[in-house]
Each structure stands twice: as structure tokens, then as C-alpha cells.
Amino acid sequence: MAGILYVVATPIGNLEDVTLRALRILRDVSLIAAEDTRRTARLLQHYSISTRTTSLHEHNEREKTTKLIERLRGGESIALVSDAGTPLISDPGQMLVAAARDAGIRVEAVPGPSAVMAAVSASGLPAAPFTFLGFPPNRSKDRAAWFDILGRQRALCVFFEAPHRFRQALDDLERVFGPDHHVGVGRELTKAHEELVIRPIHALRAHFIEPKGEFVLLVPPAKETSVESIPLPSAAELRIELWHITETTGAKGRGALKILAERYGRPVNALYELIAADRNRGHKT
């Protein structure tokens, strides 16, 4: 009988933020696949857990997945953990989880801490619905397009940013929304020096003079007058937005097109024809 792959959420800072079920499973499994075994060791030592660990990160996930699937098939149960928070939320592990499901191996989520949910729940910003976007791209051209798409969202957007790119993110947001748009910033959530502030972009730049720690940004949508007033981007940009909707919401086909159509107040069929025509032109060139 095959083992079980447990996807276990671990604390994002405060080591007390861990469930009793998570601790039991970390003790009971045969192996813990950790993004960083050194960081996971601190949690295990704190709770006197002696389970063996193995690394599973973006550079070795393809190689390690095959071996871990073999162990699962052999009856061993494995816990998947990330550096902090809920695995697969901008962390490695998707390849292993997908392979386990394809192999008919049972996968169980052990829910718990999440920087995204911590920031959204404590911000007081309208979050029904909200969209999680992960990390912005690093390359300047891709990054500019990414923030342009964010600026056209009609719901709260949440994303992560590294400290050395945080001020650049404020510059990108100011370009899209203007300096007076209010943005929420969570820094070092649940840790000793945590803070969650909601201020205009220009005030955030003055507040975070030397950004340090891990950042979560919450960006409310721009104030809009009417959907019909939103200009329609080029077909190529619409294709990028459609791909982004598919990646972030899980919607596919006509469902993703419907979200895009509602965003711009246009008929679904009209957008489909525009995007299809652009795709066909691309195939001919």
C-alpha cells in the first residue's frame, strides 16, 4: 500500500503558529521534504522532532521527485514543507504534488500559516474577491507589463516582493496608480518586528527608507467611473492577460474569457475573435 504525501503548512515567523496535526504528522512520517533543511531544522528542534529531512528546492525538484515518488509507492509517507507558510504558494513542490496525483498516491493538505491570508485578514481592506499574484518578474520589460496588468484589476491584488526590489515596486505602483493611491504593506509578519501599514504610495516610500525583511503588498483597485470607460488593450496584451487569468485563478477556456470580458465590459465572443485573429497572425509570421 502506498504512503501519503502531506503538504504541511509551517510557521511564517512565530514558532507557536503551528497546528497540533502538523506536529503529529511531522513526527509520524518517514521523511520530510524541505525547501531548506536548515530552516526546517530550527522548527523540528524546537518541538523535539527527530524525523529525517531531505532538501527539495527549485534546483533539484525534478531530480528528487522521481526518488520521492518511489518511496511513496513503497509505502513510506512524506511531509512536504517550505521555508515558511503554506507550500506551493510561490514555493517549490508543485512538481512533486502533481507527480504524486498522477501516480494515484494520496495527497493531503495540512492547512495552517500563510503570509497572504495573514496580511489580508489584518488589513481591513475589501477582499471579496482578491487575487494573489506571487512575485513580480525581474526583467524590466516583463515587470512593466506585469504592473500594467495589475493596474487594470478590479479586485484587491496581493503579491510578494524581495526587500532589495521593494522600492522599485513602489516606483512601479506609482507609475500605474499615482502617488496618492493607498497600498497595504506587511513586513516580517508574526515576527518580533512585524508591521502592517496602509498608506499612500509616496508615504510608504518615506516610511520604508531601508527596506528589510519579507514583504507582502496589498493593492486595492484603482477607482473607476464605469467599465465602458476602460480602454481595450491590444490583442497581444489581451492574450497575456488571458494567460495570467488562467495561471492565477485556474479558470480555463470560456471561463477565463468571461473574466476578461467582464473586466473590460465587452462581449465574450468579441474578445475571443480579437484574440484568435491575433494568434492566427502570429502563426503566419
Side-chain angles (χ1 to χ4, degrees):
M1 182 176 178
I4 300 173
L5 175 62
Y6 295 99
V7 183
V8 183
T10 55
I12 60 176
N14 192 319
L15 293 181
E16 294 179 357
D17 294 336
V18 62
T19 67
L20 295 175
R21 183 184 175 211
L23 293 177
R24 175 179 59 80
I25 287 172
L26 291 175
R27 286 192 179 96
D28 291 347
V29 293
S30 301
L31 184 68
I32 298 172
E35 182 179 3
D36 186 334
T37 55
R38 294 166 298 180
R39 291 191 63 169
T40 300
R42 292 197 287 269
L43 174 66
L44 300 181
Q45 290 168 4
H46 185 79
Y47 287 102
S48 301
I49 297 173
S50 58
T51 308
R52 290 182 56 241
T53 62
T54 186
S55 64
L56 183 77
H57 48 71
E58 61 179 334
H59 302 296
N60 72 357
E61 186 173 3
R62 186 176 299 278
E63 171 193 349
K64 281 289 189 71
T65 291
T66 301
K67 298 176 181 178
L68 293 175
I69 293 298
E70 289 176 358
R71 298 186 68 157
L72 286 162
R73 280 177 168 156
E76 297 183 65
S77 289
I78 297 174
L80 169 67
V81 301
S82 61
D83 278 355
T86 302
L88 275 71
I89 309 301
S90 290
D91 288 323
Q94 186 272 335
M95 189 179 299
L96 174 61
V97 172
R101 289 195 170 278
D102 288 343
I105 295 168
R106 183 172 177 177
V107 178
E108 288 189 17
V110 184
S114 163
V116 175
M117 300 311 298
V120 170
S121 63
S123 71
L125 295 170
F130 76 87
T131 301
F132 174 61
L133 303 174
F135 282 91
N138 296 334
R139 295 175 56 185
S140 57
K141 184 177 180 180
D142 295 337
R143 188 177 179 91
W146 191 91
F147 276 95
D148 287 340
I149 292 173
L150 185 153
R152 293 194 287 268
Q153 299 292 318
R154 297 170 61 194
L156 178 70
C157 289
V158 183
F159 66 92
F160 295 149
E161 188 56 287
H164 63 282
R165 292 195 181 91
F166 174 74
R167 292 182 69 83
Q168 182 184 351
L170 294 183
D171 292 340
D172 292 322
L173 289 171
E174 183 171 332
R175 175 181 63 82
V176 174
F177 293 96
D180 297 323
H181 190 70
H182 280 67
V183 170
V185 177
R187 186 184 74 88
E188 294 290 86
L189 295 178
T190 80
K191 299 178 182 178
H193 302 290
E194 75 171 334
E195 56 183 327
L196 178 57
V197 298
I198 302 173
R199 299 181 182 178
I201 294 171
H202 67 83
L204 290 172
R205 186 177 287 106
H207 181 79
F208 294 103
I209 297 176
E210 296 183 2
K212 295 179 180 179
E214 299 176 351
F215 288 87
V216 184
L217 286 85
L218 305 98
V219 185
K223 294 181 180 179
E224 57 186 75
T225 51
S226 65
V227 174
E228 290 77 13
S229 67
I230 301 176
L232 193 64
S234 68
E237 290 175 314
L238 287 172
R239 286 176 62 187
I240 294 174
E241 284 198 51
L242 189 63
W243 171 84
H244 192 265
I245 289 170
T246 301
E247 290 293 307
T248 57
T249 69
K252 297 181 180 180
R254 192 171 182 83
L257 270 171
K258 185 177 180 181
I259 294 174
L260 190 64
E262 290 175 352
R263 181 177 297 172
Y264 292 104
R266 305 304 204 275
V268 172
N269 289 341
L271 288 186
Y272 172 80
E273 292 173 1
L274 184 63
I275 293 171
D278 179 73
R279 184 182 293 112
N280 291 335
R281 282 196 298 272
H283 287 164
K284 294 177 181 178
T285 58

